[in-house]
Amino acid sequence: MPSSPYVILYYKIKMKKGFLVPAMLCASFTSQANDYFFNPVISSSERYTSNISLQPKSTGNWISKLSPGLNAGLRTENIDLKSNFTWNQLFYTNNSSLDTSEQLFNIDYQHQRGRLEWGLDGSFKHQSSLNNLNTVQGFTLNQVMVKQLNIAPTASYALNELNSVSLNYSYTNAAYEKNTSSYLTDYDYHQLSSTFTHLYTEHDKLSATVSGSRYKIPSRGMTTFNEVGQLGWQHSFSQQIVTYVSAGMNYSQTELQSQVGQLEPFYFNGFILYQDPNPPHQLYPNQRYETVTTNTHGIGGVFQASIQKSFEKGSIALAVSQNQTPTSQGLQTQSQLTLTPTYTITERWSSGMSANYSIFKMPTSNGFFDTSRTYASVSPNINWKWTPEISVGLSYTYRQQEYKNSNLPRQDNGIQLQFTYQPTTNNQVK
């Protein structure tokens, strides 16, 4: 029976619809391909350091590092999500006992809806204290592995075109493994801050910040509370020159709980007993302890000033600051001067430098070796974009540290060659 024209037309339409459905799905996935990325990264470096732990006397070390990693993320109209996982395998040529593996993970989430923005920064690091200066606050001789967790949610809201407010919270927990150093102790740190920003003129932005923090070392019964108030002013002379200055006060209170013996030793026939100092002076076989809490208070100034200038092929930034941070040895005051110029030589060649000079002041009666010190470093670098997937970097670093109670400067010269390979994938965020 011959098919009618209507039947033929029906089957043609049905076949086209059957073809259009997967085609539309493919088009949909293709349109979403630019919304996420999943990129492997392989980096390796060879570094020489003449004094890895900045001691008065030390031998040189060649350090080989292999770092496979993975970058992944998602981007939509309102959401920006980025994450990275890196595995560092380190080999020390002259000291194989320092060979170690490190695992680093971080995630950055940002969400915007109208005037409201919120986000979350998080990281987990299983890292050597020799490679993590943030956890080495003061004095350490040996390599110690530390597990550090950091969670930092943020939120900001634009009240109108001129005014905005932000709220930031940060939590850090650090746990040291097989630690024999009394200067490195497990701790947890909470900080909450709020900032009000006002656009005074087209070129001037004013800000006021209040923050509070708690630093706790459970093993020592030590807790430090900090309250900081700061006023800031940012001025733009032009699109190329921006300055910023802020100043404020920091108030700290440290609570230290200690076990104090309540009985006096009493020697009887070669035995040690403990006697109550109060009548009737009864004897006990064991000492009695009572928890005693002592409080210390401190107040100090905090400030920050910076200037940044942009050029056609680079930029330069100069900053000076002073802040106070709690450590296992007490409240540390750090004054710092930094200089960071960058310059783009060609499309493939770029260069930069970071220079730093810091003064660390520690409490004089903290029961520890006084770790007040000065620290200086300078590190020029040059980078070459060999191909779109391969880049090579060469850097030199000079470090010097000198303690207040020591006339022996500790110096280190280091040079590093780094190779990074990041293959391109079809799913790239543009």
Side-chain angles (χ1 to χ4, degrees), residues 146-214:
V146 57
K147 291 181 179 179
Q148 185 174 359
L149 173 67
N150 181 263
I151 301 173
T154 62
S156 63
Y157 183 76
L159 302 173
N160 49 50
E161 294 182 355
L162 301 179
N163 303 302
S164 64
V165 293
S166 65
L167 186 67
N168 304 282
Y169 170 75
S170 177
Y171 168 73
T172 301
N173 180 276
Y176 294 89
E177 302 175 356
K178 300 178 181 179
N179 182 20
T180 59
S181 172
S182 59
Y183 295 87
L184 299 178
T185 55
D186 299 355
Y187 69 89
D188 64 74
Y189 182 74
H190 300 261
Q191 184 179 45
L192 180 65
S193 65
S194 178
T195 301
F196 173 78
T197 304
H198 173 67
L199 188 62
Y200 185 66
T201 68
E202 182 181 357
H203 301 284
D204 297 283
K205 184 184 293 185
L206 306 177
S207 63
T209 301
V210 292
S211 67
S213 65
R214 191 203 73 174

Side-chain angles (χ1 to χ4, degrees), residues 32 34-37 73-82 429-430:
Q32 295 179 2
N34 290 333
D35 293 337
Y36 67 95
F37 65 93
L74 171 70
R75 178 177 294 173
T76 67
E77 183 178 355
N78 299 321
I79 296 175
D80 190 3
L81 175 65
K82 299 176 182 178
V429 173
K430 296 182 179 180

